[in-house]
Amino acid sequence: MYPFQYFTPTKVVFGKGAEAQAGRLIREFGGKKVLIHYGGGSVVRSGLLKRVQDVLDAAGIPYVTLGGAVPNPRLQLVYEGIELCKRENVDFLLAVGGGSAIDSAKAIGYGVANGGDVWDFYDYKRKAEACLPLGVILTIAATGSEMSDSSVITREEGLIKRGYSSDHGRPRFALMDPTLTMTLPDYQTACGCTDIMMHTMERYFTNGGNMQITDAIAEGLLRTVMKNALILRDDPKDYDARAEVMWAGSLSHNGLTGCGSSGGDWATHKLEHELGGLYDVAHGAGLAAIWGSWARYVYKSCLPRFVQFAVNVMGVAPAETDEQTALRGIEGLEDFFRSIHMPTSLRELGVDPTEAELADMAHKCAVGVGGEMGSARRLREEDMLAIFKASV
Ligand code: NZQ
Ligand code: ZN
């Protein structure tokens, strides 16, 4: 195993009505003027935004609001949020929504606390030295951004989707009420379950440094998400299944399922970010569409992990050869994706890239990762292109 640091400073309040704690916690973390940041309007329609405003009114905490964070959140709105915060002397951010609203809020927080152009961080030009404190009221179980150090933003110019990670951006608190996720479209629920699984799988398929305890947590998490994703497919209002998936989402991306490993593979995520940037697809669906092609391309370089995954997670009986066992595990997961109506190819995802677009995505991906990426197998630009081509 490798040495590791595990840092999860986020205070979690989990259960029905958790949003009622927002005022108390904003005060606890020193907030005096709040920006409530949200997405395209689901929190308006559900009445959640109004309830949150009532909670802040009752606590005597002044606030301004900014909606409009879209899936694959845009840089332009981040700039708008930064200006608003400066103008209104905002000192605390409250994201109400999913990964897009949370990530957009993190970016606003970096912009206000550091000055200069916030895109510099996403362009790897400099590192953030601070972030405005951030709280989250989560409405979709998916990205784990409510506890993670990451924020993913898309710059309109050139359609470049990039992630930036810093402990400064980790939320101070996350309020998680599983009932809030019951209004999700089925497609978003399934996208979320896929993303949750992928955050653990990116950490699982590595060469070196694996620990039994981390594997046991990871494998248990993956089995739990699959089981409850099927329950939610048939009964979206099942509270316990919503709760299992919601907590899994946080644990899957707060570092827990990677302790001791070499840091993870992350190639599927990097490839998906190109799809999200160019075609604006839902993140989880993009991951499902690319994963099988990635797995078939790399499994021989990481065979023991693929065999372990097949047996311990997908319940595959060991076949004659390890290669066969590994391939059955890959097929098993693709079957699972299909069973929750997730795509397993770009065509099923609804995109039909030209050869030039595939080459462009591979090139941008290679540039974004500094040439090479991956732990299961190191991938260069030509490998990225081969995986994109195989996933068509
Ligand atoms: O925008 P609204 O109107 O709120 O609608 C959203 C959006 O259309 C809707 N929704 C959310 N909660 C709902 C709801 N609809 C009804 N009822 C509810 N309770 O669902 C749609 C998706 O929302 P979004 O926030 O975009 O989803 P998600 O949480 O999957 O976030 C995706 C973004 O996060 C990034 C992705 O790349 C993508 O840009 N990621 C962020 C990560 C991180 N910060 O750690 C890690 C991930 O790997 C990922 O890259
Ligand atoms: Zn993800």
Side-chain angles (χ1 to χ4, degrees):
M1 73 162 266
Y2 291 101
F4 62 88
Q5 286 192 29
Y6 180 61
F7 180 58
T8 49
T10 307
K11 181 177 256 191
V12 172
V13 179
F14 196 99
K16 288 180 187 168
E19 72 266 16
Q21 308 291 320
R24 177 178 70 77
L25 287 167
I26 290 168
R27 284 224 182 284
E28 184 178 319
F29 289 102
K32 293 191 173 54
K33 176 90 182 263
V34 174
L35 171 70
I36 302 176
H37 192 40
Y38 59 96
S42 72
V43 300
V44 179
R45 290 189 294 280
S46 69
L48 175 63
L49 180 64
K50 173 74 173 58
R51 291 206 301 282
V52 172
Q53 289 173 314
D54 289 347
V55 167
L56 266 56
D57 286 337
I61 300 172
Y63 56 82
V64 288
T65 58
L66 179 66
V70 293
N72 302 311
R74 304 300 154 127
L75 182 60
Q76 208 51 47
L77 187 71
V78 171
Y79 288 144
E80 225 179 279
I82 293 168
E83 286 315 308
L84 179 63
C85 286
K86 287 182 178 163
R87 208 164 53 237
E88 296 283 341
N89 291 316
V90 165
D91 62 7
F92 198 94
L93 303 167
L94 181 63
V96 184
S100 297
I102 304 168
D103 287 5
S104 184
K106 287 177 180 177
I108 292 170
Y110 290 131
V112 175
N114 296 278
D117 186 353
V118 70
W119 184 251
D120 287 353
F121 303 123
Y122 297 81
D123 212 13
Y124 318 122
K125 288 195 176 126
R126 59 192 174 114
K127 290 200 159 101
E129 278 159 22
C131 185
L132 277 192
L134 165 72
V136 171
I137 299 176
L138 189 65
T139 64
I140 170 173
T143 63
S145 188
E146 66 277 7
M147 289 182 91
S148 84
D149 64 354
S150 333
S151 153
V152 186
I153 298 294
T154 298
R155 189 180 76 175
E156 293 86 342
E157 190 196 338
L159 290 174
I160 298 176
K161 180 173 172 176
R162 288 271 177 80
Y164 177 64
S165 298
S166 160
D167 279 336
H168 294 300
R170 288 189 194 266
R172 300 290 204 277
F173 65 78
L175 308 180
M176 290 189 238
D177 175 352
T179 59
L180 295 181
T181 66
M182 288 183 187
T183 52
L184 277 168
D186 293 344
Y187 183 71
Q188 288 295 340
T189 299
C191 284
C193 290
T194 303
D195 192 21
I196 292 168
M197 292 183 69
M198 283 303 313
H199 292 154
T200 285
M201 286 159 56
E202 297 279 21
R203 293 171 166 93
Y204 188 87
F205 291 109
T206 59
N207 276 309
N210 304 106
M211 291 177 78
Q212 282 177 26
I213 179 67
T214 299
D215 281 356
I217 293 168
E219 289 162 2
L221 186 146
L222 292 169
R223 289 192 302 264
T224 305
V225 174
M226 283 196 290
K227 181 176 164 192
N228 287 283
L230 291 175
I231 294 173
L232 291 177
R233 179 195 62 189
D234 300 333
D235 181 8
K237 303 271 186 226
D238 187 306
Y239 178 85
D240 289 335
R242 288 281 176 199
E244 298 283 356
V245 167
M246 195 174 214
W247 188 223
S250 303
L251 298 184
S252 195
H253 205 30
N254 75 359
L256 182 66
T257 60
C259 293
S261 91
S262 63
D265 182 85
W266 299 105
T268 310
H269 262 77
K270 301 287 183 198
L271 294 168
E272 191 289 325
H273 283 179
E274 298 308 322
L275 290 172
L278 201 55
Y279 302 107
D280 213 12
V281 296
H283 173 62
L287 293 171
I290 211 103
W291 183 79
S293 301
W294 167 83
R296 285 192 180 79
Y297 196 81
V298 307
Y299 78 97
K300 286 184 185 157
S301 308
C302 195
L303 197 53
R305 303 298 291 169
F306 276 91
V307 170
Q308 188 178 325
F309 172 81
V311 174
N312 290 357
V313 179
M314 300 313 302
V316 169
E320 246 174 58
T321 67
D322 282 352
E323 276 85 354
Q324 285 170 341
T325 308
L327 282 171
R328 282 180 199 167
I330 294 168
E331 283 157 16
L333 185 58
E334 286 184 316
D335 286 345
F336 167 76
F337 285 152
R338 285 187 203 100
S339 77
I340 58 167
H341 311 300
M342 282 287 100
T344 54
S345 69
L346 297 189
R347 192 164 299 116
E348 286 172 18
L349 180 64
V351 302
D352 185 15
T354 61
E355 293 278 320
E357 284 169 340
L358 291 172
D360 185 45
M361 286 195 292
H363 181 65
K364 277 186 352 198
C365 189
V367 170
V369 298
E372 289 186 10
M373 65 177 180
S375 171
R377 175 174 163 182
R378 294 298 285 168
L379 303 175
R380 303 170 67 84
E381 186 173 328
E382 59 267 28
D383 304 307
M384 299 169 204
L385 180 58
I387 293 169
F388 274 134
K389 282 187 173 168
S391 69
V392 168

